[in-house]
Structure formats: C-alpha cells, structure tokens
Amino acid sequence: MRSAATTSSLLCTSHITGLVLAGGRGTRMGGVDKGLQLLHGKPLVQHVLERLAPQVGTLAINANRSQLEYARFGYPVWHDLEEGFPGPLAGLHSGLVHCTTDFLASTPCDSPLIPYDMVARLATALAEAKADAAVALTDGAHGRQRHPVCSLLRRSTQASLHAFLAAGERKMDHWFATLACVEVEFPDERAFCNINTGLELQRLEEEQ
C-alpha cells in the first residue's frame, strides 16, 4: 500500500466530497440524535468533522432532524430523499445526488476515532483497482469486519443506488456486492468503533 502522501497523484482531494451520515433514529441510544451527544465536551459529529475535513475537498452532513443544529457547524446539510429514515444507504444516495465532485467519501457521525488517513488509503486502492467503490476492513478481536459506511464511491454509482432503493432494498452489503468494490484493511479496529448506546459513550469518555 502506498503512503498517503502519494495519493494526490492518483486522486486529488479536491475531487472528493466528504459526507458525515447523521440521518438515523438513534434507537439504541433512546431516540436521541447521536451526532449531537457530547464526548469530551464536543458533539460526536464535531469529532468526525474535524478528522474528515482535512481529507476531502468539500464536506456535508446528512441529517433528517436537528438540521439547524447541524448547520451551525458551517457545512451543507442534506436530508434523505426518501421519507421514513430508510437507513444509511438513503444518506449515501442523497450525498451522491447532491455532490458536485466525482467521488464521495462517507463516515458515520458516531465514529469519532476514524483514521486521519482513511480517505487517502481508500482513494489509493480505488484508483489502483479502477473500482467503483472502496470500503474499510478491519481484522481484530471481533474477526474480519467490513465497514461499508466508511467508504469511497464514484458519483457514477448514483444510478445503481437509486434503482436499488427503488426496488425496496436497504442492506448496504447487498448493494456493495453489486459494485466493483475493493476492500482496504486498516490495522486499528478501534478506530472504526461505533457509539450506539449511552454506556458505550461513557466508556469511551473514560478511556480517552
């Protein structure tokens, strides 16, 4: 794998829009808006934005509620184009429809430890493989895990995703299986942890 420093020769960051997915219901956290919950005094989404912003040319947030609060971070807020909180694929679809760059990098609002070189490594792999998509992969205590919400997509995949959602499909892995997709292994499983419950948020607060 090439270093992040050489990525610009393969895919410029100015060609990539970053999208933070904050459009879920937060069911396992009691229905609160997860991205706005505080970790060390800052909303989870702010931790993610600060890590993702240097990796992309432009940035946006996918949110279906609390849109004024999310807009205060200074980035466009794009809601799902389908009603009823249909899941993260709907957020990706909105991102692909709205973005004006050739590529879209995504990450969830509840993963405050995403690697600072995530997009660079995904971009290198996607360019070298001439793939439609690149997704993060970890191999740790929980076995080999794909993290499709941490991905890089060509904007040209928008038509495929639109048709997939129109058919009533919602599972991310099923859609990614229809694409030319490359997996990129990251050594730190913890960097892709999701904060799904109040207890997990408390534990992360205590660990750091």
Side-chain angles (χ1 to χ4, degrees):
M1 182 69 67
R2 299 185 190 183
S3 69
T6 64
T7 301
S8 59
S9 65
L10 298 172
L11 185 59
C12 294
T13 56
S14 61
H15 296 164
I16 304 173
T17 296
L19 182 67
V20 179
L21 298 168
R25 293 181 185 273
T27 305
R28 284 183 282 177
M29 202 174 275
V32 300
D33 200 320
K34 282 199 295 184
L36 300 177
Q37 303 311 298
L38 299 182
L39 173 67
H40 300 306
K42 293 193 301 189
L44 282 172
V45 70
Q46 186 175 346
H47 289 273
V48 179
L49 289 166
E50 289 173 355
R51 285 176 175 252
L52 186 59
Q55 305 186 49
V56 296
T58 186
L59 198 55
I61 300 170
N62 163 241
N64 295 310
R65 53 180 175 159
S66 309
Q67 292 179 332
L68 290 177
E69 287 86 347
Y70 281 114
R72 292 193 181 106
F73 293 101
Y75 301 105
V77 179
W78 300 333
H79 60 77
D80 292 351
L81 302 180
E82 297 187 24
E83 296 181 355
F85 297 85
L89 274 184
L92 286 181
H93 178 245
S94 180
L96 290 168
V97 169
H98 284 99
C99 79
T100 58
T101 58
D102 291 333
F103 299 89
L104 181 76
S106 70
T107 187
C109 68
D110 58 358
S111 292
L113 305 179
I114 60 164
Y116 288 105
D117 65 346
M118 183 189 80
V119 176
R121 295 185 63 187
L122 293 175
T124 299
L126 183 146
E128 290 182 339
K130 296 181 172 60
D132 296 321
V135 301
L137 174 77
T138 55
D139 188 3
H142 298 96
R144 291 177 67 82
Q145 286 190 310
R146 296 177 90 211
H147 305 276
V149 285
C150 295
S151 65
L152 180 66
L153 296 166
R154 293 187 187 272
R155 187 174 54 164
S156 58
T157 61
Q158 185 265 322
S160 166
L161 183 50
H162 177 78
F164 188 82
L165 292 170
E169 300 286 350
R170 295 291 181 266
K171 297 196 177 205
M172 295 196 78
D173 282 338
H174 290 183
W175 180 61
F176 275 92
T178 71
L179 305 176
C181 183
V182 60
E183 296 176 339
V184 182
E185 188 165 343
F186 288 81
D188 185 6
E189 182 182 42
R190 187 169 177 269
F192 294 90
C193 68
N194 296 115
I195 306 303
N196 291 311
T197 68
L199 181 58
E200 290 175 350
L201 182 60
Q202 180 183 341
R203 286 174 177 166
L204 185 59
E205 179 101 25
E206 294 169 351
E207 288 173 4
Q208 289 191 304

